[in-house]
Amino acid sequence: MISHILAFLAVAIIIAVTPGPDFVLITKNTLKYNNQSGRATAYGVATSHVIFATASVLGLTSIIAKSIVLFQVIKYAGAAYLIYLGIKALIAKKKQPQDQDTASISANIPKSTGNLQNSYFQGMASTLLNPKALIFYISLLPQFIDLNGNVALQSIILAGLFTLVVLSWFLIYVFFLTYIGSWFKKPSVEWIFDKITGTTLVSLGLAVALEKK
């Protein structure tokens, strides 16, 4: 079991640090808002993995995998959500100098609960609607389970470790992003950043939609 866990951790770290929709959203929310929004997004991602892990132990993920309709619904809903977030970022207007002054004055004021909840929801939705996350629990995780042992317990342990790895990585990433966050508050830089993240999210959404199962 120990050898399986070590091998799984190596794979989990590689998967966690590989950029994807979650990575883009956490980058966007941290740099556009603040580290609280970035952490909220990361917690949303972790919550989705807990949901996936629970569903995997109960056998629900395999049911979804066997249902072409359910899998396609998740796939296209996820693609549509990423494209929506991307378009929203693309059409964001460039801040005027007076807007920047207002932002500077309120820089030390905590973000509203609504904004944190929105960031949390974005993180959770992007992962729950990501077919690759579903495939991970269906096909990759079972490869590290010893069928001669307690399968359910091993599933819980491995899924829990993966969630911790993902959450730890994103929290560390948010921590480092806060050091360059002030530079991104410049109106021109923020506008360009919106276009880059918007284009990236739309591209990821289209990639998910066009990807064959």
Side-chain angles (χ1 to χ4, degrees), residues 8 11 15 56 61-62 65 71 131-145:
F8 178 77
V11 173
I15 293 175
S56 178
T61 52
S62 61
F71 189 87
K132 290 185 177 180
L134 178 61
I135 292 173
F136 169 81
Y137 288 94
I138 294 170
S139 59
L140 186 58
L141 188 145
Q143 295 182 28
F144 297 90
I145 293 177

Side-chain angles (χ1 to χ4, degrees), residues 160-201:
L161 286 174
F162 183 69
T163 301
L164 287 175
V165 168
V166 170
L167 181 59
S168 299
W169 156 243
F170 281 136
L171 290 180
I172 292 172
Y173 178 59
V174 168
F175 175 78
F176 283 107
L177 281 180
T178 55
Y179 285 97
I180 60 175
S182 58
W183 186 68
F184 280 84
K185 296 300 180 184
K186 298 178 180 179
S188 57
V189 175
E190 185 174 347
W191 184 80
I192 294 173
F193 179 69
D194 279 338
K195 306 311 168 189
I196 293 174
T197 55
T199 302
T200 303
L201 287 170

Side-chain angles (χ1 to χ4, degrees), residues 25-70:
L25 282 176
I26 288 173
T27 303
K28 178 181 75 69
N29 289 341
T30 302
L31 296 179
K32 188 174 180 63
Y33 303 111
N34 62 5
N35 59 352
Q36 290 180 339
S37 294
R39 287 197 297 267
T41 310
Y43 293 140
V45 171
T47 300
S48 292
H49 283 294
V50 171
I51 294 173
F52 271 131
T54 303
S56 178
V57 172
L58 295 176
L60 298 178
T61 52
S62 61
I63 294 175
I64 295 174
K66 293 176 181 177
S67 173
I68 296 177
V69 174
L70 282 176

Side-chain angles (χ1 to χ4, degrees), residues 85-164:
L85 292 177
I87 292 176
K88 188 176 179 181
L90 285 172
I91 64 176
K93 295 182 179 179
K94 184 177 179 180
K95 287 184 178 179
Q96 300 302 316
Q98 58 268 27
D99 297 328
Q100 183 65 16
D101 293 337
T102 302
S104 299
I105 295 173
S106 59
N108 295 321
I109 300 177
K111 295 294 178 182
S112 67
T113 302
N115 184 62
L116 295 180
Q117 289 178 343
N118 187 48
S119 296
Y120 176 83
F121 174 78
Q122 286 183 7
M124 186 168 66
S126 69
T127 303
L128 279 179
L129 298 175
N130 187 350
K132 290 185 177 180
L134 178 61
I135 292 173
F136 169 81
Y137 288 94
I138 294 170
S139 59
L140 186 58
L141 188 145
Q143 295 182 28
F144 297 90
I145 293 177
D146 182 3
L147 297 179
N148 296 319
N150 189 322
V151 175
L153 179 60
Q154 291 179 73
S155 298
I156 293 172
I157 292 174
L158 293 179
L161 286 174
F162 183 69
T163 301
L164 287 175

